[in-house]
């Protein structure tokens, strides 16, 4: 359910931010694959019920580049590949794998970053319980301008507030 949730939130945000609906259709499909590189990470690390040590964390971080390598033979649009590679970049430049910041991060990537983070925060993990919707929204606000693009946060929060009753629940047990 994680990829479906991220694609749902990202699609709504992209449309609200004025991205052409034809481009959003391709965008949504690639968002469904944003974590495909995790197939190259061992389950004992990916599903570890405790916090990762530094070495394990470095291995997890490789999933972005692995995903790009998996999709590169089939996806020729560099903007779409950037979604897979760069969805853990931060607005303040402290993300990875490339340390991009501000305008270096394409808008579509920034949208996925916020949607991915929100869904991760509101989902139970083996090492922590899910945050409430309100707590996750507060985290987006608190990290607006540091981790997240401020315009993306503002748009995403507006969508969450306006469409509270129209947001489906996603089954995260399939992951």
């Amino acid at each position: 359910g994680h990829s479906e949730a991220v694609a749902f939130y990202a699609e709504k945000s992209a449309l609200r931010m004025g991205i052409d609906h034809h481009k959003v259709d391709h965008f949504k499909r690639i968002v469904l694959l944003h974590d495909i590189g995790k197939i190259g990470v061992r389950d004992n690390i990916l599903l570890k019920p405790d916090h990762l040590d530094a070495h394990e964390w470095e291995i997890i971080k490789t999933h972005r580049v692995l995903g790009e390598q998996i999709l590169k033979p089939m996806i020729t649009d560099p903007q779409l590949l950037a979604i897979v590679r760069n969805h853990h970049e931060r607005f303040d430049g402290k993300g990875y794998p490339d340390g991009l910041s501000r305008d270096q991060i394409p808008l579509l990537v920034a949208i996925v970053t916020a949607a991915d983070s929100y869904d991760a925060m509101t989902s139970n993990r083996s090492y922590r319980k899910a945050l409430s919707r309100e707590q996750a929204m507060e985290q987006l606000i608190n990290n607006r301008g540091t981790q997240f693009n401020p315009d993306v946060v503002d748009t995403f929060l507006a969508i969450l507030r306006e469409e509270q009753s129209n947001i489906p629940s996603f089954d995260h047990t399939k992951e």
Side-chain angles (χ1 to χ4, degrees):
H2 172 68
S3 292
E4 289 87 355
V6 175
F8 174 84
Y9 297 131
E11 175 186 33
K12 292 231 175 241
S13 296
L15 289 169
R16 178 74 63 95
M17 295 188 84
I19 306 295
D20 178 81
H21 72 278
H22 294 296
K23 188 170 189 169
V24 171
D25 187 47
H26 296 291
F27 169 61
K28 185 177 179 183
R29 287 189 211 140
I30 201 75
V31 174
L32 288 168
L33 300 171
H34 77 280
D35 278 338
I36 193 169
K38 286 185 178 177
I39 65 173
V41 177
R42 293 187 325 265
D43 282 349
N44 67 321
I45 294 174
L46 202 56
L47 304 174
K48 185 176 178 180
D50 206 357
H51 289 286
L52 301 174
D53 65 31
H55 175 70
E56 292 165 334
W57 181 242
E58 289 303 315
I59 291 170
I60 282 283
K61 287 169 46 175
T62 66
H63 90 269
R64 288 90 183 155
V65 175
L66 289 172
E68 179 190 41
Q69 290 169 349
I70 290 166
L71 295 174
K72 204 169 195 171
M74 298 165 278
I75 308 290
T76 58
D77 185 335
Q79 289 182 332
L80 295 178
L81 285 173
I83 291 163
V84 175
R85 180 183 178 91
N86 299 118
H87 68 274
H88 283 273
E89 297 291 352
R90 291 175 45 117
F91 193 73
D92 61 9
K94 295 179 182 176
Y96 54 89
D98 300 315
L100 303 178
S101 66
R102 300 183 174 271
D103 294 338
Q104 293 175 313
I105 303 169
L107 179 59
L108 294 177
V109 172
I111 289 170
V112 174
T113 300
D116 184 48
S117 296
Y118 176 82
D119 188 66
M121 288 186 276
T122 58
S123 302
N124 284 321
R125 299 297 178 159
S126 57
Y127 52 89
R128 66 146 177 82
K129 290 218 178 256
L131 297 180
S132 70
R133 178 181 179 279
E134 292 74 23
Q135 290 170 317
M137 290 170 70
E138 188 175 317
Q139 287 298 311
L140 290 173
I141 292 166
N142 291 344
N143 291 289
R144 180 186 181 277
T146 54
Q147 184 175 355
F148 307 113
N149 177 312
D151 295 332
V152 171
V153 168
D154 294 345
T155 300
F156 189 37
L157 290 173
I159 291 166
L160 290 172
R161 290 180 183 122
E162 291 167 15
E163 301 191 18
Q164 182 175 352
S165 61
N166 295 327
I167 295 177
S169 64
F170 297 93
D171 181 4
H172 289 76
T173 61
K174 297 184 286 186
E175 309 273 330

